[in-house]
Amino acid sequence: KSHDDIFKIIQTHVEVRQEEDVSIVKDVRRWLDKKKKEGVIEFSYWKRYKKILLNSLPYDVVDTLDKSTDKIIDFSGDPQEKMDTRGLVMGEVQSGKTANYTGVICKAADLGYKVIIIVTTSNEKLRSQTQQRLNNEFVGYCGVKKISTINIPGFSSGAEKRPEFRTSILQDFGKAVKDTSSFNPNAVTEPFFF
């Protein structure tokens, strides 16, 4: 049996759930609900990611994640306005932090954030593991070398939105990548992802 088959068997015998998040905020100007009601946001990155999540998680878990990521984005500020916002998302081991920040990244890309930077760890093995997961769930490419890419199953070839990415499984952002990359967030329609 494949890894996916074993996972589905285990999932039928184990309850998978996600608790609602808790937020501590001060002086937050809410804006996301208004944008959503205007109906001008396509949410293509989020819809694609949600579809990936629903292949392995129950609907109520994905729905809780949807609400939690909406709150984080709402607290982060409207990218169309001047903002000075700081925040921190914390969670227990194996509590869904990567799924959560991947959802936040997808929604940020949909809403027009121009630069997305992931700060993980100095442990290269863990950084590479996080890069692989984000490649599969957000980028849609598996960048083995900084120029060479292959498509990820579930992503169409070229028809879908994809960020401008500047890191790969084998290479974090550094001087070599900087020297070979142009960076002008105003010159592209999709976000830069580091």
Side-chain angles (χ1 to χ4, degrees):
K1 293 189 179 210
S2 74
H3 176 267
D4 289 339
D5 293 334
I6 294 169
F7 181 77
K8 286 180 182 180
I9 290 169
I10 292 170
Q11 192 176 20
T12 61
H13 298 289
V14 177
E15 180 186 8
V16 178
R17 60 184 169 78
Q18 181 175 351
E19 300 293 328
E20 195 169 318
D21 61 90
V22 176
S23 304
I24 302 170
V25 296
K26 181 180 177 185
D27 301 328
V28 173
R29 188 171 150 250
R30 307 297 292 259
W31 62 278
L32 184 59
D33 283 341
K34 181 181 175 190
K35 288 259 177 151
K36 288 173 93 174
K37 286 177 186 170
E38 291 171 0
V40 295
I41 306 163
E42 189 177 325
F43 284 109
S44 56
Y45 284 103
W46 168 249
K47 286 177 184 174
R48 182 173 65 201
Y49 181 51
K50 185 176 179 178
K51 186 176 176 183
I52 291 168
L53 290 172
L54 288 170
N55 286 329
S56 60
L57 294 172
Y59 178 82
D60 61 327
V61 170
V62 177
D63 186 54
T64 301
L65 182 70
D66 187 12
K67 292 172 185 169
S68 175
T69 54
D70 270 3
K71 279 171 65 175
I72 294 168
I73 285 290
D74 206 15
F75 297 157
S76 298
D78 185 345
Q80 308 306 318
E81 297 179 9
K82 185 177 179 181
M83 59 183 166
D84 181 10
T85 307
R86 293 164 191 84
L88 174 68
V89 177
M90 297 177 3
E92 299 288 332
V93 173
Q94 293 296 308
S95 65
K97 291 181 299 297
T98 306
N100 186 288
Y101 69 70
T102 303
V104 169
I105 290 167
C106 290
K107 290 180 180 184
D110 288 327
L111 290 162
Y113 282 78
K114 294 289 191 177
V115 179
I116 299 168
I117 301 171
I118 303 299
V119 180
T120 58
T121 176
S122 59
N123 179 314
E124 182 55 27
K125 185 174 180 180
L126 292 176
R127 187 213 62 83
S128 179
Q129 180 182 0
T130 299
Q131 179 77 46
Q132 177 64 49
R133 185 154 169 198
L134 289 167
N135 284 354
N136 290 338
E137 298 174 348
F138 172 60
V139 176
Y141 284 111
C142 176
V144 177
K145 295 181 182 172
K146 63 181 174 185
I147 296 175
S148 172
T149 58
I150 58 173
N151 282 325
I152 298 294
F155 284 76
S156 63
S157 57
E160 298 184 44
K161 293 181 173 189
R162 299 189 192 234
E164 298 285 329
F165 62 101
R166 295 297 187 262
T167 56
S168 72
I169 296 166
L170 299 178
Q171 187 172 16
D172 196 3
F173 186 80
K175 184 169 176 21
V177 175
K178 179 185 168 288
D179 290 346
T180 60
S181 299
S182 62
F183 175 69
N184 180 355
N186 296 320
V188 294
T189 57
E190 300 307 314
F192 276 91
F193 174 65
F194 297 92

